[in-house]
Amino acid sequence: MSSKQPRWTQTWLGGVRSAGVDLGYPGERLGLPREGSGSVAGFGRRIGAIVIDWLICTWAITQGLLRVDPARAPWVPVLILAAEYLLLVGTMGMTFGMRLLGVRVAALGGGGPGFVAVLVRTFLLCLAVPALVWDRDQRGLHDRAANTVVVRL
């Protein structure tokens, strides 16, 4: 019995796109371009940026500048990361890691995010789990709660 339809497990495991449902490109519902400047930043750039920021906060600042052992005080790097995000995303729309990888945080209405949005986004980002739950526009729960999106420069 040969049929052209995929098995139900292939459709279920592959998601709705494998079932033939067109959801559009990430950011289309938000009015963002498909590619280039202003398009939704990919997962790799976002993860790379947070890793760079985490290394700066853990090694350079916590261990190098403050001489605090992160193993003995694991909350110190998290507080420094939160301070970095509040200060840099709140003023420039990006952190050091984001700048190096060519992404920034933007408000859905355009421009940079406001202080309350940055505060909400930073708090949820420090909890880690909301940042790991994504929607089809590649926005984590922290971005959805703050009405922000991470876009390419």
Side-chain angles (χ1 to χ4, degrees):
M1 171 181 239
S2 107
S3 77
K4 302 278 185 196
Q5 296 291 336
R7 292 183 12 193
W8 71 271
T9 53
Q10 292 170 321
T11 313
W12 177 69
L13 292 173
V16 293
R17 290 189 196 274
S18 67
V21 177
D22 181 23
L23 298 176
Y25 62 87
E28 183 175 17
R29 294 181 313 155
L30 305 174
L32 301 174
R34 179 185 297 263
E35 297 175 356
S37 180
S39 64
V40 173
F43 183 71
R45 287 179 188 238
R46 295 180 70 162
I47 290 296
I50 191 80
V51 167
I52 290 168
D53 290 329
W54 183 251
L55 291 174
I56 290 170
C57 292
T58 303
W59 288 349
I61 298 173
T62 302
Q63 290 180 331
L65 189 62
L66 300 177
R67 305 278 186 216
V68 174
D69 182 9
R72 294 180 188 251
W75 51 270
V76 173
V78 176
L79 287 179
I80 293 170
L81 183 74
E84 177 197 25
Y85 267 74
L86 288 172
L87 178 68
L88 297 179
V89 174
T91 58
M92 299 185 318
M94 67 185 88
T95 62
F96 296 120
M98 290 178 181
R99 178 68 183 126
L100 285 172
L101 295 181
V103 298
R104 69 178 176 88
V105 178
L108 284 183
F115 178 73
V116 174
V118 172
L119 186 65
V120 167
R121 187 179 188 282
T122 300
F123 174 74
L124 293 174
L125 181 66
C126 288
L127 294 178
V129 174
L132 298 175
V133 179
W134 296 61
D135 67 7
R136 72 183 200 198
D137 292 314
Q138 298 181 2
R139 293 172 55 214
L141 290 179
H142 62 302
D143 283 320
R144 291 181 59 93
N147 286 323
T148 59
V149 62
V150 178
V151 297
R152 295 173 61 185
L153 290 177

